């Protein structure tokens, strides 16, 4: 059991070096179910001393883990995937309790995550394979792949099993050890994840968990990043927080991998399958109450089919999305999503489907809504709502559609709907996005392909060998005969 009892309270402790850190009641954090406005349990908050201890433990474990054979790491990840399947109900229940998501969404996350772990495990050999480049002098050159060292992983609360599990597994596969700075929103969900890896045979200290309150976040994050033994940071979250963490990393000359927000466009062209496009645009906008960085935030439709598409889209929303599409994990997040829609409407935008009303007394669940007529000065135009909504735009043709899609600070996921495959491929080259999907939803993340952000959506790759490589460095070794003459400078 992950909890420790203290004065009748159930506490998620810090987990460092394979053991619970002593409790400090003055830093207990309330973990709140936003939908019920209820404290469901508590978590021990970390301070800078705890952060130091977590990195020390990871650094000590790295001395051994880095030299484990690739097949041993693979077996550990495969066992973790199997245990995750066994614990899927527990993981789902924890995520529902802590983040107020729907049971269906929570239940699917461990299924998706275990597949991600298996794909990473299957790509270890590929990622670790070095090269034997030709030399321009006598001798031989070998380029080997080595783990970069202990890493700091900071995953978000919206899909913890997948996004946390993927980062942890990629780092471990490379031979790195991990300090997991778990979200204070769902520390139990992350603790179950840590337990899964340790039950799979991961040695103590290879994976350590800390969490802290928002008031202590800056100091604890600084202590983690500044530690001499942290060699890389992975952060998934908002662009605003990512920018602050990247600045801290830069100050300490630490490389950082970032997956930030998105303003995912779905372009609907004249030859699109309109009913299918409408169905998956709505799905992409509303899934998980819109709390996905790949959510369909913008729908861009060409003028020639705009009236017909809008009618079909409204029918789709009215038929399937009049009730709840989940709930926000944070009351503040729901308020922000609601306010952005209200502000745009007050500034002249129109409701196409839905009415942005609250569906619960606690104001955590919003009616799925699509608006049109958004102006350039509306905040919603290029800020994530992270709520169940999308903005629809009508354009004259393909060139204007691409221009509008690219007119964003973000560049994560996009999709285009057309029956012409070659046109889709041609257009994909014009998108300023890391992923371009054709005839499907923007919420698309196959475990076998790289997921990459450009512009304000970050940089670096994840999934499979691509993600493992983020935690590897090249080491060049050259071999020469003892009597070989030195050619340098001649």
């Amino acid at each position: 059991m992950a909890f420790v009892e203290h004065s009748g309270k159930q506490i998620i402790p810090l987990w460092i070096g394979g053991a619970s850190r002593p409790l400090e009641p003055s830093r207990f954090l309330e973990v709140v179910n936003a939908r019920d406005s209820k404290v469901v349990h508590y978590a021990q908050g970390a301070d800078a001393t705890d952060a130091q201890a977590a990195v020390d433990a990871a650094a000590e474990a790295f001395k051994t883990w880095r030299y484990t054979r690739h097949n041993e790491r693979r077996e550990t990840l495969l066992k973790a995937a199997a245990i995750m399947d066994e614990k899927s109900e527990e993981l789902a229940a924890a995520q529902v309790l802590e983040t107020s998501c729907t049971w269906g969404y929570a239940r699917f996350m461990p299924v998706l995550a275990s597949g991600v772990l298996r794909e990473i495990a299957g790509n270890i050999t590929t990622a670790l394979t070095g090269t034997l480049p030709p030399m321009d002098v006598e001798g031989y050159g070998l380029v080997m792949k080595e783990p970069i060292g202990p890493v700091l992983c900071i995953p978000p609360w919206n899909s913890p099993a997948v996004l946390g599990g993927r980062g942890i597994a990629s780092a471990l596969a490379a031979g790195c050890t991990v300090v997991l700075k778990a979200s204070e929103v769902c520390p139990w969900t992350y603790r179950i994840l840590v337990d899964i890896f340790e039950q799979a045979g991961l040695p103590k200290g290879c994976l350590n968990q800390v969490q802290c309150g928002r008031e202590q976040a800056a100091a604890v994050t600084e202590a983690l990043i500044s530690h001499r033994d942290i060699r890389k940071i992975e952060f998934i979250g908002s662009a605003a927080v990512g920018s602050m963490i990247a600045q801290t990393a830069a100050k300490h000359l630490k490389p950082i991998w970032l997956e930030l927000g998105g303003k995912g466009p779905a372009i609907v062209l004249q030859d699109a399958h309109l009913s299918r496009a409408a169905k998956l645009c709505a799905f992409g906008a509303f899934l998980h109450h819109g709390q996905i960085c790949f959510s369909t935030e913008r729908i861009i439709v060409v003028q020639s089919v705009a009236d017909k598409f809008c009618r079909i889209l409204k029918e789709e929303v009215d038929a399937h999305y009049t009730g709840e599409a989940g709930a926000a994990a944070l009351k503040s997040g729901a308020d922000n999503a609601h306010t952005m829609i209200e502000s745009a409407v007050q500034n002249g935008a129109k409701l196409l489907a839905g009415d942005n009303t609250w569906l619960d007394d606690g104001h955590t669940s919003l009616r799925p809504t699509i608006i049109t007529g958004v102006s350039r000065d509306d905040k919603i135009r290029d800020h994530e709502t992270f709520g169940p909504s999308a903005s629809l735009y009508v354009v004259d043709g393909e060139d204007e559609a691409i221009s509008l899609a690219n007119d964003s600070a973000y560049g994560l996921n996009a999709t285009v709907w057309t029956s012409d495959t070659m046109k889709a491929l041609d257009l994909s080259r014009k998108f300023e996005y890391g992923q371009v999907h054709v005839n499907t939803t923007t919420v698309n993340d196959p475990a076998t392909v790289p997921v990459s952000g450009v512009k304000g959506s970050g940089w670096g790759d994840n999934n499979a060998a691509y993600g493992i490589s983020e935690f590897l460095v090249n080491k060049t070794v050259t071999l020469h005969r003892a009597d070989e003459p030195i050619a340098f400078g001649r």
Side-chain angles (χ1 to χ4, degrees), residues 61 64 149 172 192 206 218 247 274 292 312 365 412 433-434 439 474:
T64 303
L172 294 175
I192 295 171
C206 288
Q247 290 177 60
L274 297 184
I292 303 173
I312 296 172
S365 181
L412 195 56
Y433 287 81
N439 295 334
N474 291 324

Side-chain angles (χ1 to χ4, degrees), residues 147-164:
I148 194 170
V151 300
L152 170 61
C153 290
I154 312 177
W157 50 260
N158 58 329
S159 300
V162 175
L163 301 181

Side-chain angles (χ1 to χ4, degrees), residues 299-430:
I299 303 169
I300 303 169
V301 56
V302 296
Q303 179 70 59
S304 58
V305 293
D307 289 344
K308 183 176 181 181
F309 177 79
C310 288
R311 184 178 69 253
I312 296 172
L313 180 61
K314 186 178 188 313
E315 290 171 354
E316 173 70 21
V317 176
D318 290 346
H320 301 289
Y321 295 99
T322 56
E324 291 187 353
L330 299 167
K331 181 68 167 58
S332 59
D335 289 339
N336 182 63
H338 180 264
T339 299
M340 271 202 268
I341 295 285
E342 288 297 297
S343 177
V345 171
Q346 291 173 10
N347 199 34
K350 305 297 182 184
L351 296 167
L352 175 66
D355 58 9
N356 195 40
T357 54
W358 297 107
L359 297 176
D360 65 332
D361 294 337
H363 286 193
T364 60
S365 181
L366 284 163
R367 188 180 304 281
T369 300
I370 295 175
I371 62 173
T372 63
V374 171
S375 66
R376 178 167 285 277
D377 59 345
D378 286 327
K379 184 179 180 180
I380 196 174
R381 190 181 186 280
D382 202 32
H383 284 76
E384 281 185 304
T385 65
F386 238 51
S389 62
S391 306
L392 186 141
Y393 303 83
V394 178
V395 295
D396 288 335
E398 297 169 8
D399 291 341
E400 188 180 353
I402 292 291
S403 178
L404 179 56
N406 290 338
D407 186 15
S408 171
Y410 299 102
L412 195 56
N413 256 33
T415 188
V416 58
W417 288 86
T418 175
S419 299
D420 188 333
T421 302
M422 290 305 297
K423 180 192 295 183
L425 288 174
D426 289 340
L427 291 176
S428 70
R429 300 181 64 185
K430 299 179 180 180

Side-chain angles (χ1 to χ4, degrees), residues 123 146 177 191 248 251 305-306 369 387 442 456 488:
N123 277 271
E146 293 197 341
T177 52
R191 179 54 194 278
T248 302
K251 181 173 65 173
V305 293
T369 300
T442 57
F488 183 78

